Amino acid sequence: MNKKWNGLYYPTKDFQKQANLNNKKIYKQASKDPIAFWSDLAKKELFWQEPFTETFSNKQTNFGPEIKWFSGGKLNLTENIFEHNISQSNSLSLRGGSQADEAIPTVEIASGSALAMTKSKVALIWEPENPDEQTKKYTYEELLSEVNKFANALKNLGVKKGDTVGIYLPIIPEIAISMLACARIGVVHLVVFSAFSPDALRIRLQTVKAKYLITADGYYRRGKTINLKQNADLGIENTNIEKVIVVKRAGNDIIWENSKNFWFDELTKNESNICPPEKMNSEDLLFVLPESGTTGQFLPIIHTTGGYTLQAKVTGKWVFDIKDGDVFWSTADPGWITGHTYSIYSPLLNGITTLLFEGAPDFPTTDRWAKIIEKNKVTILYTAPTAIRMFKQYGAESFKNCDISSLRVLGSVGEIIDAPTWLWHNKEIGKNKLPIVDTYWQTETGAIIITSLPGIGPTKPACAGLSLPGVNMNIFDENGKPCKNGVEGNLVMLPPYCPAIVRGIFGAPEKYKNVYWNLYGKDVYITSDRAIKDKHGIIKITGRADDVIKIAGRRITTSELESAVNNHPEISESAVIGIPDEIKGSTPLVFATYRGVKNKDEVTKEIEQEIKKSMGPIATPKKIYLVHELPKTRSGKIMRTLLKKLYFNENLGDISTLSNPETIEAIKKQITTNL
Ligand code: WTA
């Protein structure tokens, strides 16, 4: 962005001219009748096997609203990626099924230019961690062929429409192939982040009673081989998993159980590459993705087919200004929602090339990302502020020998991007001309809901931007009244919400109602974020209203960390708080009461190990304080806010409600002496 006026940044004339959305009238047009707006888009953008009959409904039930988009319609997400995108003349040999001879509508980009799509266009580029290992590329034709073969293999194993399959894979092409194969045959996928522990895998598989798991023998992380199969074997104990499909990636030694284990390659080797897309109702489940929620609740979030497919597609087109030749790199792991929507579904629905990278951003050298951009001529880079802060710390010098001039749009997601980092990004990566889209959304919203559009603006550093056209976000005070401009309140979404909004919590309908719909009445969706709006309508996210902390963009609740700490036999209770961190955004600080039997250093180390094991190394606490008692109110509530104030040496205010004020001095001493 180079045009700066009054603290706001606007797109360059050149960018604006060519942008898919460049007229701010779209906001007015959408808000006049958002339901009609989404209905038109759904008809124009998606290929429906059967047309929908009702655009939106919102029936109140005892368990909260039953939201439906595009009822009566039938579609398949993968058909929208492959057959719909591949031009008619090229597509016939791949279609299969009953629709082989139907005309395929041309995809119109919002600006009016048609997408020149062929089956030989590259759909997926995969960069391995080791730069000396070969990059893999799949054309749309090849990817569909792999997806169909694996979909047929799943069917032959006994997987049926409506079943749920667990996917516990590193960032390798098979993760995309597996997700797409599930969507092809109407199987619900549940992806579990590969760095999660066996316990984290188990609870997820148990929730959905999955009978099948797709995993790998191992993968590489900073040059080391991680034995994923071993974690999977432990994680499936006490679950319903009957069959485990294993991708050969690292060639490490694994324990093999003939009756239960199947090599991915062997299963697919002789399968047909034709598999007709299953007819899915718009509201049929597409995937479940468990997330951390308010007060440590475990929330397996449900997404359905029609609404998600539409929002994933159009947000890509609008927010990243997706064009025919784009190479889209979303650095998120497909184990998280950003990886689902923008590493896989959105770019493929828009018929462009997506890039997946197996490794860490600065391994083996700090210019690794820049080299990948240069090599693959990446045009859109979507990442988290934590990565940008890391590169800022390394300095622009660290990649000065790489040509990153292919970039045309930069995106950020997952946490607040502070102004100094935004400004560095704008100058050093954006060269003061590329648009930066700070995108706000949640696992629950499925796709972006707040951002400044790159061809329209304005953009304000450290602020997400405006509600997306067709989405009505607002900020409410404690009484449910809209806050005045500049006043902080709770960020909410009002009807008709967005097409990809969460449809429920798997197996726990009461949580769906209690977490999202219980504060301001049955129609108001609660994001659990705090925010402020300025006079232009630009929304700035100020932080979470609950105990969720974002560590390096990953969503973790303090109570989840506390339960990991409390696993230690020396610990009776603990309090975890999130404190600012220069790189990770937030980092945990642990206060735990211990019995004093074992050596303190040993206990600290063991707690650290326990946290790493259950939540991954990213959650390693900045410091663990082993204390005798935690400050509590007379009703027994641990005063976490007080701990934060103590840590930052702030005024504690009134502490007369504490049942044990003497703990304050003791903890203060520990903090100052760093014990
Ligand atoms: C936070 C990630 C500030 C927010 C897509 C939200 C953000 C939570 C932004 C969801 C942003 C996401 N600015 N905060 N641009 N984007 N968040 O489910 O607290 O992993 O509620 O989805 O991340 O995290 P989740």
Side-chain angles (χ1 to χ4, degrees):
M1 321 232 122
N2 69 348
K3 261 209 317 187
K4 187 177 169 198
W5 189 73
N6 245 350
L8 300 177
Y9 289 74
Y10 290 86
T12 61
K13 274 241 155 56
D14 286 349
F15 190 91
Q16 194 179 14
K17 229 180 347 187
Q18 60 81 59
N20 291 337
L21 278 188
N22 52 12
N23 189 333
K24 65 178 183 219
K25 277 194 194 139
I26 182 101
Y27 287 102
K28 250 206 189 127
Q29 186 191 319
S31 66
K32 230 193 303 171
D33 187 348
I35 298 176
F37 175 75
W38 287 112
S39 170
D40 285 350
L41 279 168
K43 287 178 196 155
K44 194 169 138 227
E45 295 286 346
L46 298 187
F47 175 70
W48 295 89
Q49 296 162 336
E50 282 175 30
F52 54 92
T53 47
E54 188 178 20
T55 305
F56 172 77
S57 65
N58 184 18
K59 197 174 107 205
Q60 289 301 328
T61 74
N62 288 341
F63 294 118
E66 192 185 348
I67 297 170
K68 289 186 179 170
W69 280 92
F70 315 123
S71 294
K74 288 192 193 292
L75 78 167
N76 186 291
L77 185 151
T78 67
E79 190 175 20
N80 273 278
I81 287 178
F82 297 108
E83 289 88 340
H84 181 55
N85 275 339
I86 296 172
S87 63
Q88 200 178 358
S89 58
N90 283 322
S91 67
L92 295 179
S93 63
L94 286 162
R95 287 176 66 84
S98 57
Q99 301 190 26
D101 299 327
E102 279 171 28
I104 301 164
T106 340
V107 180
E108 295 281 329
I109 298 275
S111 63
S113 64
L115 184 71
M117 180 76 194
T118 62
K119 61 185 183 180
S120 58
K121 182 168 182 175
V122 176
L124 175 68
I125 301 176
W126 175 72
E127 280 291 347
E129 176 178 270
N130 180 348
D132 297 330
E133 199 184 325
Q134 189 123 30
T135 304
K136 277 192 187 166
K137 288 187 183 175
Y138 297 76
T139 64
Y140 271 83
E141 182 178 31
E142 287 161 348
L143 187 60
L144 175 57
S145 176
E146 294 305 313
V147 167
N148 280 347
K149 281 201 244 170
F150 188 48
N152 285 329
L154 285 174
K155 281 195 203 166
N156 284 341
L157 272 189
V159 183
K160 289 186 299 297
K161 182 178 179 181
D163 281 347
T164 303
V165 167
I167 300 177
Y168 186 48
L169 284 173
I171 310 181
I172 52 177
E174 287 79 1
I175 195 165
I177 293 167
S178 301
M179 290 164 74
L180 292 163
C182 287
R184 186 83 178 164
I185 56 174
V187 165
V188 180
H189 61 65
L190 172 113
V191 185
V192 182
F193 179 42
S194 58
F196 274 168
S197 66
D199 291 346
L201 171 64
R202 183 175 313 111
I203 176 172
R204 284 159 174 79
L205 296 175
Q206 283 169 342
T207 310
V208 296
K209 300 192 173 57
K211 286 193 283 189
Y212 307 88
L213 180 70
I214 306 161
T215 188
D217 53 355
Y219 65 98
Y220 302 107
R221 198 68 187 164
R222 297 188 176 275
K224 276 204 313 221
T225 306
I226 313 283
N227 190 334
L228 190 67
K229 173 70 165 46
Q230 190 175 34
N231 288 350
D233 288 342
L234 290 171
I236 62 169
E237 282 173 10
N238 300 319
T239 68
N240 293 355
I241 295 289
E242 291 165 6
K243 293 176 181 169
V244 179
I245 301 161
V246 187
V247 179
K248 196 174 269 164
R249 164 68 189 122
N252 49 306
D253 286 340
I254 55 172
I255 294 171
W256 192 259
E257 250 186 273
N258 263 333
S259 59
K260 217 178 186 173
N261 295 171
F262 304 83
W263 285 114
F264 186 99
D265 276 357
E266 283 174 19
L267 282 184
T268 50
K269 204 166 48 191
N270 298 319
E271 282 296 348
S272 152
N273 66 356
I274 297 211
C275 174
E278 192 66 45
K279 275 191 170 184
M280 303 301 290
N281 288 318
S282 180
E283 283 302 331
D284 278 343
L285 256 63
L286 178 64
F287 65 85
V288 175
L289 187 57
E291 260 305 350
S292 306
T294 305
T295 59
Q297 305 211 44
F298 177 68
L299 304 171
I301 287 158
I302 293 174
H303 281 293
T304 56
T305 310
Y308 176 85
T309 305
L310 179 65
Q311 203 179 326
K313 182 169 183 187
V314 298
T315 50
K317 195 182 269 193
W318 296 346
V319 178
F320 301 103
D321 195 49
I322 285 180
K323 292 276 161 49
D324 199 8
D326 276 324
V327 178
F328 192 113
W329 185 14
S330 153
T331 64
D333 190 300
W336 301 87
I337 191 67
T338 309
H340 278 58
T341 308
Y342 297 102
S343 301
I344 298 182
Y345 290 131
S346 181
L348 295 178
L349 281 163
N350 282 296
I352 56 161
T353 305
T354 188
L355 186 144
L356 294 178
F357 169 50
E358 183 185 33
D362 54 350
F363 183 84
T365 48
T366 54
D367 60 0
R368 185 68 204 277
W369 270 21
K371 281 189 170 142
I372 292 175
I373 294 169
E374 175 177 69
K375 176 174 166 195
N376 297 291
K377 303 213 167 21
V378 171
T379 57
I380 303 168
L381 178 67
Y382 190 34
T383 191
T386 187
I388 305 168
R389 284 192 290 262
M390 191 175 84
F391 288 114
K392 179 171 163 246
Q393 204 168 59
Y394 290 138
E397 276 293 289
S398 66
F399 52 85
K400 69 171 191 308
N401 294 327
C402 299
D403 176 8
I404 56 167
S405 60
S406 54
L407 290 173
R408 48 181 294 266
V409 178
L410 305 174
S412 162
V413 61
E415 41 169 331
I416 300 156
I417 173 167
D418 53 287
T421 304
W422 192 99
L423 293 167
W424 181 87
H425 200 39
N426 186 40
K427 178 163 172 256
E428 301 296 349
I429 312 285
K431 308 289 177 211
N432 293 320
K433 68 177 205 292
L434 303 190
I436 300 180
V437 285
D438 178 353
T439 63
Y440 168 88
W441 56 296
Q442 308 180 299
T443 308
E444 289 86 345
T445 70
I448 295 162
I449 53 172
I450 301 177
T451 193
S452 290
L453 292 168
I456 299 176
T459 296
K460 199 169 169 181
C463 299
L466 304 174
S467 299
L468 201 77
V471 178
N472 186 2
M473 303 301 292
N474 212 328
I475 296 165
F476 278 6
D477 67 15
E478 304 314 316
N479 304 315
K481 298 249 153 52
C483 291
K484 289 208 176 88
N485 290 341
V487 176
E488 192 190 66
N490 292 317
L491 181 67
V492 299
M493 184 160 38
L494 301 172
Y497 320 110
C498 57
I501 193 171
V502 51
R503 297 301 202 272
I505 297 303
F506 199 97
E510 68 294 344
K511 280 193 191 167
Y512 171 65
K513 183 179 176 186
N514 293 340
V515 173
Y516 305 112
W517 309 98
N518 69 349
L519 195 58
Y520 297 122
K522 48 193 189 338
D523 270 350
V524 181
Y525 170 84
I526 317 296
T527 62
S528 294
D529 280 301
R530 304 277 294 165
I532 303 178
K533 206 171 4 180
D534 73 4
K535 62 176 186 220
H536 309 282
I538 294 180
I539 296 170
K540 178 182 173 64
I541 310 295
T542 52
R544 289 284 300 199
D546 56 12
D547 64 348
V548 168
I549 47 176
K550 296 300 293 271
I551 306 172
R554 294 195 178 137
R555 180 167 158 179
I556 291 174
T557 56
T558 51
S559 40
E560 264 174 302
L561 289 165
E562 285 164 10
S563 56
V565 176
N566 298 348
N567 264 344
H568 195 286
E570 282 276 319
I571 301 300
S572 50
E573 61 180 358
S574 60
V576 173
I577 57 172
I579 57 162
D581 180 271
E582 229 177 277
I583 301 292
K584 295 195 278 185
S586 292
T587 192
L589 202 64
V590 177
F591 294 87
T593 57
Y594 95 124
R595 297 190 304 147
V597 178
K598 226 173 159 181
N599 173 288
K600 245 186 173 180
D601 288 345
E602 249 174 77
V603 176
T604 310
K605 264 199 207 115
E606 284 163 6
I607 291 178
E608 202 177 292
Q609 281 311 321
E610 184 65 37
I611 290 181
K612 278 192 194 162
K613 203 178 90 198
S614 58
M615 312 301 306
I618 201 84
T620 308
K622 178 161 176 125
K623 175 92 189 159
I624 298 170
Y625 294 103
L626 296 179
V627 301
H628 290 297
E629 238 186 306
L630 292 166
K632 285 185 184 169
T633 61
R634 295 209 176 104
S635 58
K637 195 169 169 270
I638 299 172
M639 293 294 288
R640 291 177 179 76
T641 44
L642 214 56
L643 289 168
K644 206 171 201 165
K645 285 183 181 162
L646 268 173
Y647 183 77
F648 289 111
N649 202 13
E650 286 169 6
N651 185 345
L652 301 183
D654 180 15
I655 55 166
S656 61
T657 53
L658 286 187
S659 68
N660 52 356
E662 67 285 356
T663 53
I664 296 292
E665 276 313 306
I667 296 176
K668 203 170 180 174
K669 204 162 147 205
Q670 274 185 268
I671 292 172
T672 45
T673 53
N674 202 22
L675 281 172

